[in-house]
Amino acid sequence: MLLNLRYVNLIITVFSLLGFGMVYPEGKQVTSNAKLRYDYAEKAQASPNNNSQLEIEKLNQEAIQQSQQKRFPEALQRLQKALDITREFGERSWEAVTFNNIGRVYQSQGQYSQALKSYQQALVIDKEIGDAVRLGKTYSNIGYLFDIQNKPELAIFFYKHCLINREKARLNPSALSLPQPDAYSITVAQTYRILAERLLKQERVAEAQRTMDLLKVEELEEYLQNVPGNQRTAKGIEIVTREKPIKQKLEQTLAQAILLGKELTTLRKISPQKRSPQQEQRIEQLVLTQQQQLEAFNKFITSPAVTAQVEQISRTARQQNLDLESLNQVRDNLARLPQKSALLYPLILKDSLELVLVTPESPPIHRTVAVTSKNLSQTIVAFRQALKNPSRNLKTPARQLYDWLIKPIENDLKLSGTQTLIYAPDDQLRYIPITALFDGKWLVERFSVNHITSASLSNLNTPNQSSLRVLAGAFTKGNYQIKVGNRQFAFAGLPFAGREVESLAEVVPETKKLLDDAFSPKVTVPQMDDYTIVHLATHAAFVMGKPEDSFILFGNGDRVNLRDVATWSLPNVDLVVLSACETGLGSSLGNGEEILGFGYQMQKTGAKAAIASLWAVDDGGTQALMSAFYATLPSGKLTKAEALRQAQISLITGDWKVSHNKSTAVSDFSHPYYWAPFILIGNGL
């Protein structure tokens, strides 16, 4: 495609985003990796023979900066120069990148037809070279283009193709971690979130549930990187019946364009000086034919017949008669659990909270709650602050959160007979325990709660080992200073941790104790997989930032960070307990990715589940809860999730029994500060 700069529109089109609450990026374009920066001098030194690629990168980067400054003609000139270089040196991947950026410049001016043509040129190249990652991102650009034109059905169709290609690529996770150039309107995670939002707006709840599930996998990828998919994630999302004619036409168009593109590439490898008149004529013919094919597809998808077809999609999909294999797998998982269980997905949007509930017997249930993300965040912060102070009354925010998160689905839970909530929290909801929501009773008095990272990555039905064997480590004395980035943390020994381990050993005779200096990574980690439960009565911190910033402190002062945890091999371990964790350190809450990352890393070790705390608890209260938990667990009559629930209820009611309870500084542990922070992540059986 050649750019005709005479037709560049210098008038900036200010368009209204008629969305469903999603905040789109403003002022700057978003890359797939916000930390990515290009250092051209360093690259030139490392690759002295790659000057053409460096020049293409530089021209693209400068063009985007000029576009952001509304200097559109200069931006297009640079991109045309970059395009010429890509063709001269056969840089096909960068040719696609450049076409994406040309599309973004046209899009910024409101020249949507020109933008679509450029994105399609990128699509053809990405498809030809088989780059599923960039292909998915180009589909996202096209989806976004239709979204800002208020064409939600077409936006959904192309966003889905981003998801489909991304999930295929996830089977080779190293490809997802490669640096990506700035050539895309929104991040992949934003694409998933917007797609879920658009689907929910159309009451296409089964498809939205699938998208929300895979969003959590993508969030893990953004935080940890190299998160592998599996056969369940690789299935992506279903293209529904009324979308299939568009898909068939798209695939046919791309296949034809790729055939022309391959011939075109071969001819362009011949230098212009050496081409014959016939070859020049053939190049012109191929370019024209390819453009005509893409234009024909554009006319097809905007034709009255197809427009009427896609407008029928939402009405058909609302009937929930989709044959979504992934949804059926989730339902089957739920149906085989010993307690009646339901899967709850909240999705936080700018102007609403969306709730999706999946039960074994019915189609996914969707409820919209009219609360802004700002108000929800303020209530979460107020609730968490009250939870962490046992002298404060927290029932006001606890009731409000109950009204937002549980009351809209209260009747659905009752009708389904739900006993266990399998919970996949979103964003800042990861920092609070829903067990402490209140409506006259604490939620824990009604339901067991089992957190998961993603249903697509979780096996909820693997049974436990028949007998309990515990490896218990404790940090009881000493002081350690830990520096993470520019922050300094001071950790003192936990006097009650020793008693916690002693109480555990009394209940489970097959318990091996490691205290203080003997409780080191070198001694502890190699032994873990010989036991069914690994209990670590020590400090752990899940810190916003990088996975390397979050850590578990051992009794000898050594620490293991979140990335190191993933190297552990614990396929025989049913449960890892960290009884003195802290999350949300710092002046403000993030999006909880460090908690999501911890759950996934523990899962990656092969351990079936983990118990961790959302804030550091009075260690006398921790001892009381853990003693109550282990007093119930060995019977084998209760699941881990139900045993934790019963232990928490025993602290509420005062029925907990600890032989040395008179030694505790506090005897009343009924405030949620003591029992609510402990959450179970993973397989709750």
Side-chain angles (χ1 to χ4, degrees):
M1 176 184 289
L2 298 177
L3 303 178
N4 190 335
L5 299 180
R6 291 175 299 173
Y7 296 100
V8 173
N9 185 1
L10 298 179
I11 301 173
I12 304 166
T13 302
V14 179
F15 47 81
S16 173
L17 302 180
L18 302 177
F20 189 46
M22 174 59 62
V23 181
Y24 287 97
E26 296 179 357
K28 65 177 181 178
Q29 302 294 340
V30 182
T31 68
S32 63
N33 182 350
K35 300 174 184 176
L36 180 63
R37 298 289 184 271
Y38 288 103
D39 188 332
Y40 300 105
E42 181 180 330
K43 284 191 177 184
Q45 186 176 5
S47 306
N49 297 322
N50 203 19
N51 290 331
S52 63
Q53 182 175 318
L54 291 172
E55 180 64 14
I56 297 165
E57 289 184 28
K58 188 170 182 289
L59 287 166
N60 271 269
Q61 190 76 2
E62 290 172 349
I64 291 304
Q65 291 172 351
Q66 289 170 333
S67 180
Q68 290 168 355
Q69 296 164 2
K70 301 178 176 48
R71 295 161 56 193
F72 301 121
E74 295 98 317
L76 290 170
Q77 284 174 346
R78 273 178 166 72
L79 290 170
Q80 179 63 66
K81 184 177 179 181
L83 202 58
D84 292 340
I85 298 172
T86 65
R87 289 168 172 173
E88 180 181 355
F89 291 94
E91 295 280 0
R92 294 289 280 159
S93 181
W94 275 100
E95 186 179 356
V97 167
T98 304
F99 270 124
N100 265 306
N101 279 329
I102 291 169
R104 291 169 73 195
V105 175
Y106 280 128
Q107 178 179 293
S108 297
Q109 301 174 83
Q111 296 187 25
Y112 301 134
S113 176
Q114 287 293 89
L116 179 58
K117 291 175 184 177
S118 297
Y119 289 147
Q120 287 174 323
Q121 293 280 9
L123 201 65
V124 171
I125 298 168
D126 287 332
K127 184 85 170 176
E128 178 188 335
I129 64 180
D131 189 333
V133 176
R134 292 189 181 181
L135 180 63
K137 288 171 173 289
T138 301
Y139 275 123
S140 174
N141 274 354
I142 298 174
Y144 184 81
L145 180 67
F146 283 115
D147 214 347
I148 62 178
Q149 296 176 76
N150 197 29
K151 296 179 179 179
E153 288 85 6
L154 287 175
I156 286 170
F157 174 80
F158 285 102
Y159 283 150
K160 277 186 171 185
H161 280 76
C162 171
L163 187 153
I164 288 166
N165 282 277
R166 184 71 168 184
E167 296 309 322
K168 286 179 181 176
R170 204 181 300 285
L171 293 175
N172 177 24
S174 60
L176 301 183
S177 299
L178 295 175
Q180 293 290 326
D182 182 3
Y184 310 102
S185 297
I186 53 178
T187 68
V188 176
Q190 285 173 321
T191 302
Y192 282 42
R193 189 171 285 271
I194 296 170
L195 174 57
E197 180 183 0
R198 298 293 176 258
L199 289 166
L200 287 173
K201 183 179 182 182
Q202 296 192 357
E203 290 300 324
R204 297 166 63 174
V205 187
E207 296 165 276
Q209 179 272 326
R210 174 65 170 168
T211 305
M212 292 162 71
D213 189 47
L214 292 173
L215 168 62
K216 288 166 176 53
V217 184
E218 181 58 31
E219 288 178 319
L220 284 167
E221 172 63 32
E222 287 194 343
Y223 181 56
L224 295 169
Q225 299 188 349
N226 291 306
V227 173
N230 54 42
Q231 292 307 311
R232 283 179 288 173
T233 60
K235 290 173 182 173
I237 189 168
E238 184 182 26
I239 298 298
V240 299
T241 301
R242 291 184 181 271
E243 292 171 325
K244 287 179 180 177
I246 305 174
K247 182 174 179 61
Q248 184 178 8
K249 182 72 172 177
L250 174 63
E251 294 298 332
Q252 181 184 18
T253 302
L254 290 177
Q256 292 170 346
I258 287 168
L259 283 176
L260 298 176
K262 288 180 178 178
E263 185 182 351
L264 191 58
T265 300
T266 301
L267 288 171
R268 279 181 170 150
K269 288 180 180 177
I270 305 170
S271 66
Q273 297 79 10
K274 295 181 180 180
R275 290 175 195 160
S276 66
Q278 293 81 7
Q279 288 171 331
E280 288 287 358
Q281 187 178 10
R282 181 58 177 162
I283 288 174
E284 291 178 11
Q285 186 182 43
L286 289 170
V287 169
L288 179 61
T289 304
Q290 193 181 66
Q291 289 179 344
Q292 287 172 340
Q293 289 174 345
L294 295 175
E295 183 61 33
F297 174 74
N298 295 343
K299 288 180 180 178
F300 168 75
I301 61 175
T302 56
S303 66
V306 173
T307 300
Q309 180 92 342
V310 296
E311 286 176 353
Q312 286 290 326
I313 292 174
S314 60
R315 287 190 283 275
T316 303
R318 283 173 193 163
Q319 298 170 13
Q320 299 301 337
N321 55 359
L322 304 174
D323 183 22
L324 282 174
E325 186 176 350
S326 59
L327 178 61
N328 291 335
Q329 288 176 339
V330 171
R331 286 175 176 168
D332 183 57
N333 252 325
L334 293 173
R336 288 189 286 120
L337 291 172
Q339 288 189 320
K340 293 280 270 184
S341 301
L343 185 58
L344 174 60
Y345 289 89
L347 182 71
I348 300 174
L349 302 178
K350 182 183 177 183
D351 295 312
S352 66
L353 173 66
E354 305 297 322
L355 303 176
V356 172
L357 185 72
V358 181
T359 67
E361 301 89 1
S362 65
I365 297 159
H366 171 221
R367 300 283 183 265
T368 296
V369 182
V371 56
T372 66
S373 59
K374 182 179 179 180
N375 286 346
L376 179 60
S377 177
Q378 289 171 343
T379 308
I380 288 171
V381 170
F383 184 47
R384 184 176 166 88
Q385 289 173 344
L387 281 166
K388 294 178 69 175
N389 186 340
S391 65
R392 290 182 61 176
N393 187 324
L394 50 71
K395 289 183 179 177
T396 298
R399 281 182 184 275
Q400 180 61 81
L401 287 166
Y402 182 94
D403 288 346
W404 287 335
L405 277 165
I406 302 299
K407 193 169 184 178
I409 57 171
E410 196 172 45
N411 192 51
D412 304 304
L413 294 170
K414 184 177 180 180
L415 288 174
S416 68
T418 299
Q419 297 167 291
T420 298
L421 272 178
I422 300 175
Y423 182 50
D426 185 38
D427 206 82
Q428 290 191 342
L429 288 171
R430 294 175 181 135
Y431 290 109
I432 59 169
I434 62 167
T435 51
L437 303 189
F438 189 76
D439 74 328
K441 284 187 174 182
W442 304 111
L443 191 73
V444 73
E445 296 179 89
R446 300 180 186 273
F447 304 104
S448 296
V449 177
N450 181 175
H451 290 236
I452 59 168
T453 54
S454 163
S456 296
L457 298 177
S458 302
N459 189 337
L460 306 175
N461 285 290
T462 306
N464 290 330
Q465 307 279 347
S466 57
S467 60
L468 296 185
R469 302 181 309 280
V470 180
L471 179 66
F475 167 38
T476 69
K477 59 186 178 183
N479 292 275
Y480 297 112
Q481 298 289 322
I482 304 294
K483 188 173 183 181
V484 177
N486 59 1
R487 288 174 287 186
Q488 193 81 18
F489 298 98
F491 293 105
L494 303 167
F496 280 92
R499 299 180 189 176
E500 186 179 317
V501 167
E502 293 295 340
S503 296
L504 198 166
E506 290 174 10
V507 176
V508 183
E510 288 191 64
T511 296
K512 181 171 182 178
K513 296 175 287 185
L514 298 172
L515 304 179
D516 300 321
D517 286 342
F519 174 38
S520 68
K522 185 177 180 180
V523 172
T524 308
V525 174
Q527 300 185 62
M528 287 180 173
D529 202 42
D530 293 330
Y531 296 85
T532 58
I533 295 178
V534 175
H535 184 100
L536 307 179
T538 184
H539 297 283
F542 305 132
V543 186
M544 287 182 291
K546 299 175 293 185
E548 293 83 358
D549 294 339
S550 296
F551 59 89
I552 300 169
L553 180 66
F554 282 73
N556 68 334
D558 290 344
R559 56 179 169 155
V560 173
N561 69 39
L562 203 52
R563 284 215 189 278
D564 296 332
V565 167
T567 67
W568 294 355
S569 179
L570 309 177
N572 296 312
V573 175
D574 289 327
L575 178 65
V576 177
V577 178
L578 289 169
S579 63
C581 311
E582 179 96 31
T583 65
L585 295 173
S587 57
S588 61
L589 299 180
N591 67 355
E593 62 185 7
E594 66 275 21
I595 302 169
L596 183 71
F598 163 73
Y600 173 74
Q601 294 293 67
M602 293 307 306
Q603 181 179 336
K604 194 174 178 182
T605 69
K608 296 178 183 64
I611 289 177
S613 65
L614 295 173
W615 58 84
V617 186
D618 169 274
D619 59 341
T622 301
Q623 180 205 345
L625 185 130
M626 288 299 162
S627 296
F629 173 68
Y630 285 112
T632 307
L633 194 63
S635 70
K637 296 178 181 179
L638 300 179
T639 64
K640 295 188 289 284
E642 182 62 19
L644 178 60
R645 173 178 176 261
Q646 293 296 336
Q648 291 172 319
I649 290 174
S650 75
L651 266 66
I652 295 170
T653 60
D655 291 339
W656 56 282
K657 303 295 181 182
V658 180
S659 59
H660 44 273
N661 58 357
K662 293 182 180 178
S663 302
T664 60
V666 180
S667 59
D668 180 6
F669 296 123
S670 61
H671 190 280
Y673 164 77
Y674 297 103
W675 54 262
F678 297 97
I679 62 171
L680 186 144
I681 307 172
N683 185 330
L685 294 184

